[in-house]
Amino acid sequence: MRLALGLAEQGRGSVEPNPMVGCVIVRDNQVIGQGYHQRFGGPHAEVHALRDAGDARGATAYVTLEPCCHHGKTPPCSDALISAGVRRVVVAMADPFEQVDGGGLAQLNRAGIETRVGVLEHEARELNAAYLKRLQTGRPFTIAKWAMTVDGRIATSTGQSQWISSEASRADVHALRGRVDAIAVGMGTVIADDPMLTARPPGVRTATRVVFCAHRLPTARSRLIQSASEVPVLLIVSPEIDASEVAKLEQLGASVYRCTSSNLVHMIHQSLDFLGSQSMTNVMIEGGGELMASFLTADAIDQYEVYVGAKVFGGRGALGPVAGDGFASVADAAALQLVRLQRLGDNDVKLVYRRMQRD
């Protein structure tokens, strides 16, 4: 099953909004076939593994997610396993998708195939946390990303920030950009940095550049708007924004989602519902401290990817990654769980945290 989970990971960024799935076929304690879901709309993991095995009669299939039992873009994997003559299917976790939800396992059992569920289930759920969140809430999984110094600054006291992190860390950020559906920033970042927010080199996905516009809009000369006909730009606008000004940017290629409130926290909630309705699975927040603070206040950050550069800036006025009013007490603070620690280059460290659910 660990091998199957590792295979499934290879589909990250290519299969969404589908889940990542891996499959390993074993007979007489030997791996005879393996595969993973490689791209959205393509054959599922079980089909790849069965093709790799050739003859899977009497074998055991280890699958990271319950085999599908419905006709979607591909035929049911449960049918493929039955037709191949496998004897046993071991599944990490059941699939809560309403068109599966135990149906695949039931079909296998009716065909006389032994099944077992729950092997490395925690790891399987962690792997597909974004898929599971979207099924449960209709919203995408949100990733807050920033680079900071060892003393927690994202810029010097004079506002300089290039570069806090190493080339290796910046390359890792671009790889992350190339796997998500959207990258979100606020107008403060657009004005200060005039960013492109694209992956370089391009990744397997082209992220929509999302800008929260509570009080103002990007100019027609901004790099985001200038490239809107080539790479999607979505403006999340409040009722304060003049409709005629919005229309001018729409004519230049920008898309617009109009919120019913000018409160940034309310805008975040409405926009996440909208992005989920557009089949987006992962959204990365690259905005400045105020947007980060609003996402934190909205309790809308699922994962933190923090790059720590080997520098110390100091300075009372040097900015940190999260602004706003902050939490008044330690007990109220967002509680996180470290899920990965990675060294990048010679001296940088990447920390990946997931938020812990409150009781």
Side-chain angles (χ1 to χ4, degrees), residues 17 134 138 181 234 257 271-281:
R134 188 163 170 269
D181 295 301
L234 174 63
Y257 175 73
S271 66
L272 289 176
D273 287 336
F274 173 73
L275 295 175
S277 75
Q278 302 303 297
S279 298
M280 292 192 180
T281 302

Side-chain angles (χ1 to χ4, degrees), residues 76-197:
C77 291
S78 53
D79 286 351
L81 292 166
I82 293 168
S83 298
V86 300
R87 177 184 61 84
R88 183 169 175 253
V89 176
V90 180
V91 174
M93 62 171 288
D95 187 351
F97 182 54
E98 62 180 0
Q99 291 180 279
V100 183
D101 198 16
L105 291 165
Q107 185 180 356
L108 295 173
N109 289 329
R110 287 195 300 269
I113 296 175
E114 178 188 349
T115 60
R116 181 182 173 189
V117 184
V119 175
L120 299 184
E121 181 172 358
H122 175 76
E123 289 86 342
R125 288 186 173 277
E126 288 291 301
L127 174 73
N128 276 312
Y131 167 75
L132 296 173
K133 181 191 177 183
R134 188 163 170 269
L135 280 185
Q136 183 179 14
T137 69
R139 292 182 172 186
F141 190 82
T142 55
I143 302 165
K145 187 279 304 179
W146 65 72
M148 68 180 188
T149 61
V150 172
D151 58 331
R153 268 66 169 186
I154 63 170
T156 67
S157 58
T158 61
Q160 296 182 21
S161 60
Q162 294 183 353
W163 293 103
I164 290 173
S165 56
S166 67
E167 289 187 11
S169 291
R170 298 197 295 276
D172 193 79
V173 170
H174 281 285
L176 179 58
R177 283 181 175 180
R179 295 194 299 266
V180 299
D181 295 301
I183 299 169
V185 297
M187 276 303 302
T189 296
V190 173
I191 293 169
D193 299 337
D194 192 21
M196 276 292 286
L197 302 178

Side-chain angles (χ1 to χ4, degrees), residues 232-295:
V233 172
L234 174 63
L235 306 178
I236 308 293
V237 302
S238 77
E240 287 186 19
I241 304 296
D242 183 82
S244 64
E245 295 301 315
V246 172
K248 292 177 184 178
L249 298 185
E250 287 183 289
Q251 291 175 355
L252 295 173
S255 299
V256 173
Y257 175 73
R258 293 173 172 82
C259 295
T260 61
S261 171
S262 300
N263 180 286
L264 192 50
V265 171
H266 295 166
M267 291 176 68
I268 287 169
H269 285 303
Q270 290 182 18
S271 66
L272 289 176
D273 287 336
F274 173 73
L275 295 175
S277 75
Q278 302 303 297
S279 298
M280 292 192 180
T281 302
N282 294 284
V283 173
M284 183 162 69
I285 314 156
E286 285 207 45
E290 294 301 331
L291 186 64
M292 287 290 181
S294 295
F295 266 88

